[in-house]
Each structure stands twice: as C-alpha cells, then as structure tokens.
Amino acid sequence: MTTSAMPQIKPEYVHWFRNSAPYINTHRGKTFVIMFGGEAVNHPNFNTLIHDFALLHSLGIKLVLVHGARPQIEKNLQEAGIVSPLHHDVRITPRTAMPSILQAVGAIRLQIEAQLSMGLANSPMYGSRIDAVSGNFVTARPYGIRDGVDHQMTGEVRSIDIEAIKNNLLHDHIVILGSMGYSATGEVFNLLSEDVALSAAVALGADKLIFLGKEADINDNGRLLHEMIPNEVDRFLRERDLNNEINYFLHCASVACRQGVHRTHIISYAKDGALLEELFTRDGSGTLISHDPYEEIRHANIDDVVGLIELLTPLEEQGILVSRSRERLEQEIDNYSVIERDGMILGCAALYPLDADSAEVACVAVHPEYRNGSRGADLLAFLEQQARSHGLHKLFVLTTRTAHWFVEQGFAEVDASALPKARQEKYHNGRNSKVFQKTL
Ligand SMILES: CC(C)(COP(=O)(O)OP(=O)(O)OC[C@H]1O[C@@H](n2cnc3c(N)ncnc32)[C@H](O)[C@@H]1OP(=O)(O)O)[C@@H](O)C(=O)NCCC(=O)NCCS
C-alpha cells in the first residue's frame, strides 16, 4: 500500500494572501475611475487586464472604465484619407472626421463590453458574467476657437451625469465611458479621454483615479518615484521634459488631487499584473500622487521642543492639558513621540514608565486642524508598541476631559488605588482626574 505525502502549503502564497487581505477590505465599496488609451486595448496584456478589472469588480470595487482610441482613430482617418491636424497637442476635429472617430470609439466600447460579458472563459474569473453599461453620461461643449484656430468638433467636458453613473454602480454595473461627449443641442464631440477620466473622478468624488500608460515608470535619475504630492508633481513637470502621455497623466493627477480625489495612481499596462500589485501590496508598482503627506510617527528629539510648545500651549491654556514648561519638555523629551509632517508637529504623546510592569500615557494631543484622522489612535498604538517592547503589561492614563476617547481606545476606568504606590501619592495632590487602565 502506498501513502501519499501531505501536500505542502506554499508559505509565500499564504504570506501574500495574508498581506493582501487588509487591502481587499479597504477597497471594498470604493469607487475607482480607471483610464487607459487605445494603445492599451491593442496590447497583448489587454485580455488579462480585463480579467483584473473583473477581479476588482468581484471584490466589491465600483469601477468606471474610461478608454481612449487614438491609434484606432488615426488608422480610420488615414484609411478615409481625412486630415485631422494637432494644434498645441490638441486635435482639430473636422466634421467629416466624426464618422471615423465614432466608429473607432464605438468598436472599442463593444470590444470591452463583449470581453466582460463572455463569462471570462479560460481565466481565473471564469463564470463571473459582468454587466457593463455605457450611455450619454458625459455632456460636452466645443473647445472653440483658440489662438485663432477653430477646433471644430473637438470638445471639452461640460458636466458628468453623476446620478446616472452612481445608480449604475449601485446596481453592480461597470460603467464604460469613451472619449465622446454629447452637447445640449444633440451634437457629438471628440474629447480627450484623460479629461473625461479626470472630470468623472472629480465629479464622482472617486476614491481613486488610475491612469494606465505604456511607459509609466516615473523616475528621478533612475530612482522610481513611488509617491508624490501635487507640489512635487508641478515642480517635476516644470523641470523635466517628459513624454506626452506621462506629462498629461501627471498634470491630471495633480488637478485631481487638488479637487478632492484622494489618490491618483499612474501604472504601466505593459507590466502584467502591475494594477493588482499597486492595489494590493504595500510597495505597489507605480506612482501614487496623493495629498497624504509623508507623515511620520517617531520618537521626539530636542529639536521638536519648539513645535511641541506650539501644539500644547493652546490646550494648556484651555485647561485640557497640564502646563509643562520648556525646561520640563527638554528634560523629558525622550518620553515623547510625535507625528511630523513637513517639519510641523501635528501630534504628540508621552509614555512615562511607572514600575516594572506599567507605564503612564500622558499629553496625547493632535493639532485641532488634523483631528479625526485617527492620528490620536495611531500615536497611542505607537506608545503601546514601545510599552510592549519594554515588557510592560499595563498602561494608565489620567484624564479630566477625554475619558470617552480613551474608553474607545480600549481603556477602562479603575480606582486610583490601581496605580503603583508612588504614582498614587502624586495623584492625591493632583487635579482629581479619572484613572483609566489598559492591559496590553
Ligand atoms: C483626543 C485627541 C488626541 C484625539 O485625536 P484624533 O487624532 O482626533 O483621534 P482619532 O482620529 O483617533 O479619534 C477621533 C474620534 O475620537 C472622538 N473624540 C475626540 N476627542 C474626544 C473626547 N474628548 N471624548 C470623546 N471622544 C472624543 C472624535 O469625535 C472622533 O470620533 P468619531 O470617530 O466619531 O469621529 C484629540 O482630540 C486632542 O488632541 N484632544 C485634545 C487633547 C486631549 O484631550 N488629550 C488627552 C489628554 S491626555
């Protein structure tokens, strides 16, 4: 008799899945606007990209796909012998070009719809039929005469029918937008798909705007730039001679960010799996443009004292925190941790060891303009980590006004007699605060 060996669990697979799970939860129910040009549609990776869209959809992400059609339009125009010149990189669209353009845009839309509808045979998403919808969601107006040049049927986005799009997303449909818009007078205009994507993301208040480009590696002398904030993008655009595609993506990303889209990603469709890597791994694969600053939680040092005083003085004046002199802050600076953004101290918290088993949390404060962003909770988690690493099992906090917040963070009220002896003596001379304890 033969016994078959137990199949081995592949640790890297389990590791990957465990690390991706938080992202799956974070993205569920969120709205992503994803834009790709006609070049992506012609690329061999496009089939797998469609499967990845289907996968995102199945994970509960609301998707709006915006496609371009530049190479397909150019081919059609060439075949029809129609000249459609560019002026400052903007196409001038003669009325005679419209049938060729409509044919190219329509064909791509049909192709995407067909690929999403065919049950995704031979793919990991086999059996997941998806309803894709398109419609007159984009209203356009003529780009008009600029520098004396009439752009004819070239248009720009005037408005987006948010209600209709949201309604479709709510019903689990993927919404497809092309580079076409309809005017109030019933005319059809040729639009830039990047503008459609940007306008849709801003109007919908999308959680993410994603640009899929060919050469999407944005680097600074060979170093891939994983994260940028809008000001850096603007500087980068001024200083670099970038290709048109990246140039436009970055410009749109910066505008989107300033108009309330939390995150814009620029990713390469030519790298198989780059979209999933960007969305479900910590390091990602492309460039993220967001307003999220490079905030850092770290141990405080003597240079932070001035920033701490600025943060704490108003709270001390209101009687929310006990007054601490500059000298005291300097002496005790090693007990403090801070959140810093671009040199500004946004929050702080201190940890004072009491005995071999416990420590006291004090002076938890977040700048009023930066509250409710879980910075307070993050600071507390940072202190808890420090306490654990010192083998401590109990945290105390004494507070007069912030009791509920600490309860929400897992603290429970205890009698002052629970404090270590030495701290009890000081307590009885103090502000009659309530005592809370958390077991680590
Ligand atoms: C308490 C404090 C540090 C929280 O910072 P934060 O970054 O806003 O904290 P989080 O984002 O993690 O938590 C915000 C939540 O706590 C709630 N909260 C804030 N202060 C609270 C208080 N005093 N009592 C009860 N809940 C409070 C907010 O309403 C918010 O609730 P929500 O989820 O319903 O929106 C900040 O409000 C602060 O600096 N307060 C003044 C200083 C202070 O009281 N320090 C504690 C003394 S040691």
Side-chain angles (χ1 to χ4, degrees):
M1 197 175 87
T2 55
T3 53
S4 55
M6 284 281 282
Q8 290 292 306
I9 293 173
K10 293 198 178 73
E12 66 280 11
Y13 175 75
V14 174
H15 177 80
W16 171 85
F17 197 68
R18 284 186 180 141
N19 280 291
S20 300
Y23 294 98
I24 296 174
N25 279 328
T26 308
H27 297 329
R28 187 175 301 123
K30 301 282 163 61
T31 303
F32 294 3
V33 175
I34 304 182
M35 184 263 150
F36 46 91
E39 295 82 357
V41 179
N42 284 345
H43 194 274
N45 278 351
F46 193 64
N47 266 343
T48 42
L49 204 55
I50 288 277
H51 297 156
D52 292 346
F53 294 155
L55 179 62
L56 298 183
H57 175 77
S58 76
L59 293 174
I61 296 168
K62 299 181 165 82
L63 287 185
V64 177
L65 305 180
V66 184
H67 69 84
R70 196 178 50 83
Q72 293 82 352
I73 290 174
E74 264 161 22
K75 184 167 170 279
N76 279 2
L77 291 177
Q78 215 170 18
E79 282 171 8
I82 295 168
V83 182
S84 170
L86 300 177
H87 178 71
H88 293 315
D89 287 334
V90 179
R91 186 182 293 283
I92 298 166
T93 313
R95 198 171 283 276
T96 49
M98 285 313 284
S100 308
I101 294 174
L102 289 173
Q103 193 282 333
V105 175
I108 290 181
R109 195 194 70 218
L110 289 174
Q111 180 187 340
I112 298 170
E113 285 177 358
Q115 279 181 273
L116 285 170
S117 319
M118 67 187 198
L120 302 164
N122 293 327
S123 90
M125 294 307 298
Y126 175 70
S128 57
R129 191 186 177 286
I130 289 165
D131 287 324
V133 293
S134 47
N136 54 348
F137 301 126
V138 181
T139 304
R141 61 177 162 229
Y143 193 75
I145 300 169
R146 309 223 180 168
D147 305 327
V149 178
D150 185 355
H151 288 74
Q152 303 178 50
M153 301 312 288
T154 299
E156 58 186 7
V157 177
R158 180 174 171 185
S159 65
I160 302 279
D161 190 344
I162 317 167
E163 282 314 307
I165 294 180
K166 282 195 172 163
N167 202 22
N168 276 292
L169 295 175
L170 207 64
H171 287 88
D172 242 6
H173 301 151
I174 291 184
V175 173
I176 301 177
L177 304 178
S179 51
M180 302 270 81
Y182 307 87
S183 77
T185 54
E187 281 182 308
V188 187
F189 284 92
N190 182 23
L191 308 176
L192 266 180
S193 47
E194 288 88 345
D195 281 348
V196 175
L198 172 63
S199 306
V202 171
L204 289 166
D207 298 281
K208 283 185 192 295
L209 168 61
I210 299 175
F211 289 110
L212 296 170
K214 185 156 190 265
E215 313 281 348
D217 285 349
I218 299 170
N219 66 77
D220 187 12
N221 293 323
R223 186 176 56 90
L224 195 66
L225 296 173
H226 278 296
E227 285 188 55
M228 297 172 94
I229 55 173
N231 285 349
E232 286 172 324
V233 170
D234 296 346
R235 196 171 55 238
F236 199 74
L237 286 172
R238 276 197 305 273
E239 291 171 0
R240 303 298 161 103
D241 188 19
L242 301 161
N243 72 46
N244 266 353
E245 184 183 64
I246 293 293
N247 206 51
Y248 211 68
F249 286 173
L250 278 173
H251 167 75
C252 290
S254 155
V255 174
C257 211
R258 291 194 167 106
Q259 296 190 4
V261 177
H262 297 298
R263 287 164 174 242
T264 300
H265 301 255
I266 299 177
I267 313 169
S268 169
Y269 60 77
K271 281 194 230 160
D272 187 21
L275 176 63
L276 299 184
E277 192 182 349
E278 178 74 7
L279 295 175
F280 297 101
T281 66
R282 193 170 299 132
D283 292 338
S285 67
T287 299
L288 163 68
I289 294 94
S290 87
H291 254 313
D292 285 358
Y294 303 119
E295 276 182 15
E296 183 190 20
I297 301 192
R298 57 169 174 78
H299 293 283
N301 63 54
I302 201 76
D303 295 334
D304 297 321
V305 170
V306 174
L308 279 173
I309 291 172
E310 272 176 31
L311 173 71
L312 298 175
T313 306
L315 294 167
E316 291 169 359
E317 286 170 358
Q318 292 163 41
I320 296 173
L321 295 178
V322 184
S323 230
R324 287 161 177 86
S325 65
R326 173 189 283 266
E327 286 73 17
R328 184 172 164 197
L329 281 174
E330 283 174 358
Q331 276 163 13
E332 297 178 356
I333 195 71
D334 291 342
N335 297 84
Y336 281 76
S337 298
V338 292
I339 300 189
E340 185 211 310
R341 176 209 270 202
D342 290 340
M344 177 181 173
I345 303 297
L346 299 187
C348 72
L351 190 71
Y352 291 88
L354 295 175
D355 60 17
D357 197 41
S358 62
E360 179 177 344
V361 170
C363 201
V364 185
V366 172
H367 189 289
E369 283 173 22
Y370 294 88
R371 288 192 189 152
N372 299 330
S374 85
R375 291 181 180 87
D378 291 348
L379 276 163
L380 204 54
F382 191 69
L383 296 193
E384 287 178 15
Q385 190 54 40
Q386 285 174 42
R388 278 197 196 92
S389 69
H390 286 97
L392 307 180
H393 298 101
K394 270 188 258 172
L395 287 183
F396 290 99
V397 68
L398 278 70
T399 181
T400 51
R401 298 211 206 163
T402 321
H404 285 184
W405 186 78
F406 283 104
V407 169
E408 276 168 28
Q409 308 303 318
F411 282 77
E413 189 172 356
V414 290
D415 192 73
S417 59
L419 287 166
K421 272 260 155 359
R423 184 65 179 94
Q424 275 186 43
E425 280 158 28
K426 262 173 62 195
Y427 172 80
H428 291 301
N429 301 327
R431 307 196 300 161
N432 203 18
S433 313
K434 287 185 173 172
V435 182
F436 290 82
Q437 182 193 311
K438 182 170 182 177
T439 307
L440 299 177

